Amino acid sequence: MAIDTRPALPVADRVSGFTYAIRNIVVEAKKVEAAGRKVSYLNIGDPIPFGFASPPHLVEAIARAMREGHNGYTPSPGILEAREAVAEDFDARGLAVDPDRVLLTSGTSEGIELTLTALLNAGDEVLVPTPTYPLYTAVIAKLGAVERYYRTDPTQGWLPDLSHLETLVTPRTRALVVIDPNNPTGAVYPTEVRRALVEFSERHGLLLIADEVYADLAYDGPIEPLGRLDPDAAIISYSSLSKAYLAPGWRAGWMAVGRTPRLDGLLGGLRKLADGRLCSPGPMQYAITAALRGDKTFQQTLRADLRERAEITTTRLNAIPGMSCVRPHGAFYAMPQVALPPGRTDAEYVLGLLRATGVLTVFGSGFGTDPGMGAFRVVFLAPPAELHRIYDQIADFTGEFLAGRAASA
Ligand SMILES: Cc1ncc(COP(=O)(O)O)c(C=O)c1O
């Protein structure tokens, strides 16, 4: 084919600010694979490739919905039955929610994107934890808004630094993002911290974006919705079937808008935006009903499996000279730190590890931490024996890297 010399079509400027390191780094892994090395993908929080299976009663609910002909568009907020199931589930957790204030979404991700889009004008500010789940900063950048990072502190179990938070508020601040249990750190916040965050958000008239996608994966058992601490606070809660119901590919999520009339305008905006995308995947909405009303005992096994893997991860990584790792209390991530020599970055360490061993993790700066902090995120969903093998490789590489013997990234 002749070389096409015509000018390339333009890409909008806003794309350049939209970075999502968790997937962006896969390009590097593919190069390593192409060179013949097996890659262990510890970059994405997806339980399915590691042998966890979606619960059969949820699969059956979708199959039945399809067989029974529920293959058309649904109402844009989602089918009433599933919204009622979401509301009942909140009720059972101690927070009364009106099904009319529930919207079904394509995963938590769409709820986050709809909310930030409905809320933010260019130049508005959002308080985002560092490290953070990077979708927040990507969408904020796309909207021409600004993230203001508040510290969470590894020396305090990755808990939010409340005094730092106070210094970041300006007249443009619109929202506070709280991820609890946390990705990427695995932290679960104690009640007094949760209460302080709600009180802070209310005092400054902010929307509290409560990312509760890991609520059922706290190892000691499900944590309550943040809104329970103050049902009249301006809080929107987000979750999905992706993590605690082992079905990330279904893109089945929901959001529940707090009862305060201060959120009525925003709810109207959300409904308007939701109309434009017609609906979230229809048959999957039937799985939401089955998940929230059905048997949840599989989650006990899941939590026990995750606790065991968290324990292996913390013990093994803390035994590596130059490395420290805060023990996770929920979800399937840990955020260890390696004591980098001056001038070296987290990306150099992570790419070096990938090229030397095929172990793919994500550098902390992809989640908003300082590159010199040497943080990186590990997804510990692999079976224990494989985790041990991977941590052997990390130990060997880290020794070489810190001794200055590893090949430069
Ligand atoms: C904190 C957090 N929020 C949201 C999401 C997106 O999840 P979903 O599959 O529900 O869109 C993830 C996925 O990893 C996450 O870790």
Side-chain angles (χ1 to χ4, degrees):
M1 199 172 77
I3 294 170
D4 191 343
T5 54
R6 291 171 295 177
L9 276 82
V11 178
D13 294 343
R14 70 175 73 85
V15 176
S16 63
F18 195 94
T19 50
Y20 190 82
I22 299 168
R23 288 208 182 224
N24 299 158
I25 198 171
V26 172
V27 176
E28 296 303 323
K30 292 291 169 205
K31 289 184 202 159
V32 170
E33 246 169 13
R37 188 185 281 284
K38 178 180 174 301
V39 171
S40 302
Y41 284 91
L42 306 191
N43 62 317
I44 294 191
D46 181 350
I48 303 300
F50 296 101
F52 293 91
S54 311
H57 65 289
L58 306 193
V59 175
E60 180 48 33
I62 295 171
R64 194 179 329 112
M66 287 181 171
R67 277 197 306 271
E68 289 177 358
H70 298 295
N71 296 306
Y73 294 127
T74 71
S76 55
I79 56 171
L80 179 60
E81 182 188 288
R83 288 187 288 114
E84 283 174 346
V86 170
E88 276 164 27
D89 192 64
F90 273 100
D91 283 357
R93 294 163 195 257
L95 179 66
V97 164
D98 181 343
D100 280 344
R101 295 176 87 83
V102 172
L103 273 79
L104 306 190
T105 52
S106 293
T108 313
S109 306
E110 192 191 37
I112 294 166
E113 176 137 20
L114 288 173
T115 303
L116 294 173
T117 307
L119 181 73
L120 300 175
N121 287 314
D124 284 346
E125 296 175 10
V126 181
L127 301 170
V128 176
T130 176
T132 184
Y133 178 62
L135 179 66
Y136 290 100
T137 40
V139 175
I140 289 167
K142 188 173 85 172
L143 295 170
V146 182
E147 80 270 354
R148 304 270 289 167
Y149 281 123
Y150 65 93
R151 273 193 302 267
T152 67
D153 184 351
T155 68
Q156 303 297 320
W158 289 114
L159 295 185
D161 180 341
L162 295 163
S163 50
H164 185 225
L165 201 48
E166 290 287 351
T167 65
L168 300 174
V169 180
T170 77
R172 299 298 303 263
T173 313
R174 296 286 173 267
L176 168 69
V177 175
V178 175
I179 307 170
D180 180 20
N182 190 271
N183 173 13
T185 64
V188 174
Y189 300 163
T191 306
E192 65 274 15
V193 170
R194 287 157 60 81
R195 202 179 290 287
L197 290 166
V198 175
E199 186 273 328
F200 165 87
S201 187
E202 285 294 284
R203 187 156 33 86
H204 293 288
L206 309 179
L207 171 67
L208 198 161
I209 294 178
D211 188 328
E212 303 187 324
V213 72
Y214 299 102
D216 286 345
L217 298 185
Y219 311 145
D220 287 339
I223 60 163
E224 293 174 349
L226 204 51
R228 185 169 183 188
L229 294 173
D230 180 355
D232 292 308
I235 298 179
I236 306 183
S237 170
Y238 305 79
S239 194
S240 74
L241 299 186
S242 297
K243 313 292 181 178
Y245 293 89
L246 299 168
W250 294 353
R251 314 309 301 128
W254 56 89
M255 56 198 282
V257 178
R259 70 184 181 189
T260 172
R262 291 176 293 149
L263 289 176
D264 289 355
L266 190 58
L267 177 58
L270 288 165
R271 288 194 180 123
K272 224 164 143 175
L273 294 176
D275 279 349
R277 67 34 156 159
L278 301 175
C279 64
S280 68
M284 283 48 179
Q285 296 181 16
Y286 291 80
I288 294 178
T289 316
L292 298 181
R293 290 191 177 148
D295 178 27
K296 297 185 187 176
T297 49
F298 70 91
Q299 290 184 332
Q300 290 166 11
T301 317
L302 177 58
R303 285 190 288 266
D305 286 347
L306 296 179
R307 188 196 289 276
E308 182 192 8
R309 287 158 167 81
E311 178 63 34
I312 294 170
T313 300
T314 319
T315 309
R316 290 295 316 268
L317 295 181
N318 277 320
I320 299 173
M323 193 170 288
S324 59
C325 181
V326 176
R327 180 179 305 278
H329 295 280
F332 30 70
Y333 312 96
M335 193 79 169
Q337 282 174 264
V338 58
L340 294 175
R344 305 301 299 267
T345 66
D346 55 5
E348 285 171 345
Y349 172 81
V350 161
L351 290 173
L353 176 68
L354 169 67
R355 288 170 191 153
T357 65
V359 174
L360 178 64
T361 60
V362 185
F363 37 87
S365 45
F367 302 87
T369 58
D370 188 289
M373 196 172 154
F376 63 105
R377 188 190 75 166
V378 174
V379 172
F380 54 72
L381 285 161
E386 195 180 335
L387 283 180
H388 279 295
R389 187 184 55 73
I390 287 166
Y391 297 144
D392 286 343
Q393 290 177 294
I394 291 182
D396 290 347
F397 172 78
T398 305
E400 294 293 301
F401 184 88
L402 294 182
R405 287 193 295 268
S408 170

